[in-house]
Amino acid sequence: MVHYQRYHQFKKGGDEEAGTLVFVLTNPGFYRRRRPKLFSFLLLSLISCTFILAPHFFGSSSAFSHLYSFGVQNEDLDCDMAVNAPLCSSISNGTICCDRSHHRTDICFMKGDVRTHSPSSSIFLYSSKIRNDFINAPSVVDDGEEEGPNEFQHEKVKPYTRKWETSVMDTIDELDLISKRATLGVHHACDVLHDVPAVFFSTGGYTGNVYHEFNDGIIPLYITSQHFNKKVVFVILEYHNWWVMKYGDILSHLSDYPAIDFSGDNRTHCFTEAIVGLRIHDELTVDSSLMSDNKSMVDFRNLLDKAYWPRIRGLIEDEEREAQEKKISLRPTSGSPLATRKRMKHHQPWRPKLVILSRNGSRAITNENLLVKAAEEIGFQVNILRPEKTTELAKIYRELNSSDVMIGVHGAAMTHFMFMKPGSVFIQVIPLGTDWAAETYYGEPAKKLGLKYMGYKIMPNESSLYDEYDKDDPVLRHPSSVNKKGWEYTKKIYLERQMVRLEFGRFRKRLVRAYNYITRLHRQSHLRRPQ
């Protein structure tokens, strides 16, 4: 009875051959009773099914494209056979497919005659196919074309990766993706014809904060576009010149083409494929299991290495040239104090390099000078780095890439742990009330990158809040209860009004652990070197 119902469900859906085939294959008794009559039909059905599935097994230019590497769910194909095909992986020409299954982002795919129309914040997809599934969508003015019934499909999407956060998504520009019939007349003639796909995304929202710039922008852009091997054009909504300049070194390693300002460029740009929106996996993370080529966070960091080293080499050459000029002008004799200092420096034993990311204002370490002294006494070479919004990223990368240990208090600047080499040590000082955020946004991602992560949760007496509140106040004893009141409480109390005063009886243990770990690695690598 189950087989019979299944057979008629397939017949009702119009796939009679495939449904009959499933019914026959799952009901041997039925096959034996009607073997003479069904043999020829069974053979014909098998052949038909083979042709139906052939594009999925052998590939098809009309079904598969550069867009294939995206998607998260299975699709049922003909012949009742399920394959692990991602959502929107097999769209045909003239099709818009949107994946809205992720809680962080929506992403849409367009294939065919794709044309931008920035005055109406629209991307049109023109098709010559005759379809009977017109959508009576809201009116969209298209240079005099008739509206509504002439649309095959109408989707709206905001290409930013914080879909769940209404307050910021309300500030993001929305795009209309509209599929229309080309026979009505295409009034938007191509001003610029591109022979590579496009990726549309926004640099609005929280852009201006380095954590969000990487987490909601640069890393998702890498996830979404790296498989194109730089043969892709980036079309940016809410375009900022400073952002393009700041991340130009990275963009040039993801695309061979200049980025397009969607709102500022009113020309009609034409593409054969487009991705609208970006994929995001987790906080500052590339999940290799979700990448078609198994790329990971280490691969992303390798891209940063390629992006910044040309500039770093230029900085080194400038410094060497300046040093050479000073050397020529000073010309120290062999017995001069300068020459003696140089000889002593040349023979100094190796010391691991520790960099402190220093903060000004809230969550600053008020006894930072004692931290420097304690680290130097243990055996570290200590540098203090105070990155500003205008600090060139290549300079920050150079400093951290050459360091063995990074110390900093929880905050957006901890995003720079990505500039550390795998195997380095990252010590994050965790102020009161920031436990979950510190571990989620920086601690766990650092481990995934291959860093030795050491979190240091301060005690109430190491917080400046200790001097403001009674010793039994929930602000000091139960920060989680305060955080439950809402983000505004967390921000006002723990992020904006808290300073850190390290207790070195406790913190020195972290420094010693880091020193022993790094020196052990150094000895092991030295022993492995060929003599």
Side-chain angles (χ1 to χ4, degrees):
M1 185 63 179
V2 173
H3 301 296
Y4 183 75
Q5 290 174 342
R6 191 178 189 185
Y7 163 60
H8 279 280
Q9 286 171 358
F10 273 93
K11 283 193 67 176
K12 186 177 180 180
D15 198 353
E16 184 172 348
E17 290 185 357
T20 304
L21 177 59
V22 172
F23 168 61
V24 171
L25 292 178
T26 57
N27 190 349
F30 181 90
Y31 173 72
R32 286 193 299 270
R33 292 193 298 272
R34 293 164 177 79
R35 180 168 50 191
K37 294 181 180 180
L38 286 176
F39 178 78
S40 59
F41 176 75
L42 178 59
L43 179 61
L44 182 61
S45 297
L46 284 170
I47 294 172
S48 174
C49 188
T50 301
F51 282 111
I52 290 171
L53 288 174
H56 300 282
F57 292 144
F58 304 109
S60 170
S61 59
S62 64
F64 282 78
S65 66
H66 294 292
L67 312 182
Y68 171 74
S69 62
F70 301 93
V72 293
Q73 70 181 44
N74 297 340
E75 292 179 340
D76 291 328
L77 299 178
D78 294 303
C79 302
D80 198 39
M81 295 178 65
V83 296
N84 190 24
L87 186 64
C88 299
S89 66
S90 58
I91 67 172
S92 58
N93 278 322
T95 302
I96 301 174
C97 180
C98 292
D99 181 358
R100 303 185 187 274
S101 62
H102 203 286
H103 75 282
R104 289 175 178 260
T105 185
D106 290 335
I107 185 167
C108 295
F109 305 86
M110 308 174 75
K111 186 175 182 183
D113 185 358
V114 180
R115 306 187 183 207
T116 64
H117 189 241
S118 59
S120 64
S121 296
S122 301
I123 308 172
F124 290 100
L125 176 62
Y126 291 99
S127 175
S128 59
K129 294 180 180 180
I130 300 176
R131 294 169 53 175
N132 58 7
D133 56 344
F134 288 93
I135 297 175
N136 292 321
S139 298
V140 176
V141 178
D142 186 13
D143 289 350
E145 288 188 18
E146 296 180 13
E147 303 165 0
N150 298 317
E151 296 177 2
F152 291 134
Q153 190 175 353
H154 189 154
E155 302 283 350
K156 291 180 179 289
V157 64
K158 293 185 176 184
Y160 191 63
T161 56
R162 298 190 79 81
K163 170 182 168 181
W164 81 95
E165 197 168 347
T166 304
S167 59
V168 71
M169 291 303 289
D170 286 343
T171 70
I172 302 298
D173 291 345
E174 186 173 59
L175 286 174
D176 288 285
L177 314 183
I178 303 169
S179 175
K180 309 193 78 170
R181 190 168 58 182
T183 54
L184 295 174
V186 178
H187 296 297
H188 302 310
C190 295
D191 296 314
V192 185
L193 187 61
H194 302 271
D195 59 357
V196 296
V199 173
F200 292 76
F201 64 98
S202 173
T203 54
Y206 291 128
T207 296
N209 176 294
V210 68
Y211 164 77
H212 290 289
E213 287 169 8
F214 272 98
N215 187 69
D216 300 318
I218 294 297
I219 295 177
L221 186 61
Y222 170 80
I223 292 170
T224 307
S225 67
Q226 57 83 32
H227 70 288
F228 289 122
N229 295 318
K230 301 173 67 175
K231 304 305 177 185
V232 60
V233 173
F234 298 142
V235 185
I236 304 176
L237 282 72
E238 299 172 78
Y239 184 101
H240 301 286
N241 282 319
W242 66 264
W243 185 91
V244 174
M245 291 181 63
K246 181 176 182 178
Y247 293 104
D249 292 332
I250 299 175
L251 296 179
S252 67
H253 280 74
L254 290 174
S255 171
D256 284 332
Y257 306 87
I260 296 172
D261 178 358
F262 180 78
S263 299
D265 187 344
N266 288 332
R267 294 178 298 173
T268 298
H269 291 265
C270 297
F271 304 90
T272 56
E273 295 181 10
I275 300 174
V276 185
L278 301 176
R279 287 286 191 215
I280 182 171
H281 292 163
D282 208 339
E283 310 301 333
L284 297 176
T285 296
V286 177
D287 187 340
S288 60
S289 68
L290 299 176
M291 300 289 283
S292 61
D293 46 11
N294 296 317
K295 290 287 175 61
S296 67
M297 196 62 189
V298 174
D299 293 295
F300 174 74
R301 193 200 174 279
N302 290 341
L303 180 136
L304 296 182
D305 213 47
K306 295 176 183 177
Y308 290 128
W309 262 105
R311 171 60 178 154
I312 291 172
R313 278 193 288 270
L315 292 171
I316 294 173
E317 290 172 1
D318 291 342
E319 291 171 0
E320 289 176 345
R321 184 164 50 252
E322 292 177 3
Q324 185 66 23
E325 291 172 356
K326 289 182 179 179
K327 181 179 179 181
I328 293 174
S329 63
L330 293 174
R331 296 179 180 276
T333 61
S334 60
S336 70
L338 179 61
T340 303
R341 284 198 299 271
K342 284 189 175 184
R343 286 194 299 271
M344 290 176 63
K345 183 177 180 180
H346 181 73
H347 294 292
Q348 281 182 351
W350 175 83
R351 291 187 299 160
K353 178 180 175 182
L354 181 149
V355 173
I356 301 170
L357 259 69
S358 182
R359 291 183 62 94
N360 295 319
S362 65
R363 284 166 284 148
I365 298 176
T366 58
N367 53 353
E368 191 176 84
N369 59 327
L370 297 180
L371 171 59
V372 173
K373 183 179 179 181
E376 289 178 338
E377 288 175 350
I378 290 171
F380 285 108
Q381 171 193 341
V382 181
N383 288 354
I384 296 178
L385 181 62
R386 295 185 175 90
E388 304 290 340
K389 286 189 175 182
T390 57
T391 304
E392 189 177 352
L393 285 178
K395 293 181 178 179
I396 301 175
Y397 188 91
R398 178 189 179 186
E399 185 72 20
L400 293 176
N401 182 66
S402 63
S403 68
D404 300 293
V405 180
M406 181 181 96
I407 295 176
V409 181
H410 169 69
M414 295 302 94
T415 304
H416 295 117
F417 78 77
M418 296 185 299
F419 294 0
M420 302 280 290
K421 291 179 180 177
S424 303
V425 177
F426 170 32
I427 302 176
Q428 180 177 206
V429 177
I430 305 172
L432 296 181
T434 66
D435 299 15
W436 180 86
E439 296 295 333
T440 301
Y441 297 145
Y442 306 112
E444 289 302 319
K447 295 175 188 176
K448 293 176 183 177
L449 182 59
L451 302 186
K452 176 69 172 177
Y453 173 68
M454 299 180 186
Y456 178 81
K457 292 175 58 175
I458 71 170
M459 300 295 287
N461 65 330
E462 293 177 278
S463 171
S464 60
L465 299 176
Y466 193 75
D467 301 325
E468 295 184 36
Y469 292 87
D470 183 82
K471 305 306 178 280
D472 294 323
D473 194 288
V475 167
L476 300 177
R477 298 301 177 188
H478 304 289
S480 59
S481 66
V482 178
N483 288 334
K484 287 179 181 178
K485 294 181 179 180
W487 165 248
E488 288 303 319
Y489 286 88
T490 301
K491 181 181 179 183
K492 183 179 179 180
I493 298 173
Y494 295 118
L495 299 183
E496 295 180 350
R497 284 172 41 202
Q498 184 173 197
M499 308 288 276
V500 174
R501 183 175 55 251
L502 293 175
E503 203 281 300
F504 286 101
R506 292 182 64 230
F507 193 76
R508 193 176 188 281
K509 296 177 182 178
R510 293 289 195 286
L511 294 175
V512 171
R513 280 176 56 196
Y515 181 84
N516 292 338
Y517 176 81
I518 290 298
T519 53
R520 183 170 63 252
L521 288 182
H522 179 74
R523 286 195 299 269
Q524 291 173 352
S525 63
H526 184 73
L527 291 173
R528 286 195 294 265
R529 291 175 186 171
Q531 300 298 320

